[in-house]
Amino acid sequence: MGAQIYAYLMSEDARRQANFYIEALGGEIQFLATYGDTPGTPEAMKDKVMHLAVNVAGTNTIMFADSMEPVSYHRSTSLSLVYDDLEEATAAYAKLSQGGESRYPFALQPWGAHYGEVIDPFGVTWMITKQ
């Protein structure tokens, strides 16, 4: 028996966050359902995202939903991207850091890999590595 793990991010604006990642990492929306797709949804919630799946940086899937309460991300959870190509890794770091916070500059590390860490404008921590 096996399973796959997908990051599922609760967001204050799932569409905007997903589009930021598509722009930064390349990708596309695979699936989008709003609460309006469900019968009996109050008018104020019809455009809220119930489920959004995005492929980014190749075949990686990130899921999103609009949260009904304030969103807070914590440093105890990070998303890690590992690249084979230094140029791609450098570009991902730069794009994800736009409007965010550079925690550790993307640079060659003593263990031989390039590594950097950024908190994007939505509060998600990304660990970028080029092996």
Side-chain angles (χ1 to χ4, degrees):
M1 176 180 254
Q4 291 182 318
I5 294 176
Y6 294 101
Y8 205 111
L9 303 178
M10 302 308 291
S11 178
E12 292 180 6
D13 189 343
R15 284 184 179 100
R16 188 167 69 93
Q17 190 168 356
N19 285 326
F20 176 80
Y21 297 147
I22 289 168
E23 182 68 29
L25 303 172
E28 62 185 356
I29 293 174
Q30 297 298 310
F31 180 81
L32 172 63
T34 65
Y35 285 99
D37 297 329
T38 309
T41 299
E43 192 63 37
M45 289 184 57
K46 285 193 183 261
D47 289 334
K48 295 282 186 187
V49 172
M50 184 169 52
H51 179 72
L52 191 158
V54 174
N55 278 0
V56 293
T59 60
N60 303 288
T61 301
I62 302 176
M63 315 279 208
F64 298 88
D66 281 326
S67 178
M68 300 306 155
E69 55 191 50
V71 173
S72 173
Y73 294 108
H74 302 282
R75 291 267 308 135
S76 63
T77 303
S78 300
L79 299 180
S80 177
L81 283 171
V82 179
Y83 286 90
D84 293 326
D85 183 83
L86 181 59
E87 192 172 302
E88 284 182 288
T90 303
Y93 181 89
K95 290 176 183 177
L96 288 170
S97 66
Q98 290 176 356
E101 174 189 349
S102 175
R103 297 282 299 178
Y104 301 105
F106 187 74
L108 183 61
Q109 301 300 319
W111 62 85
H114 284 77
Y115 174 83
E117 194 171 301
V118 63
I119 300 175
D120 72 29
F122 300 94
V124 176
T125 302
W126 292 85
M127 299 163 42
I128 312 295
T129 306
K130 189 290 181 186
Q131 293 290 13

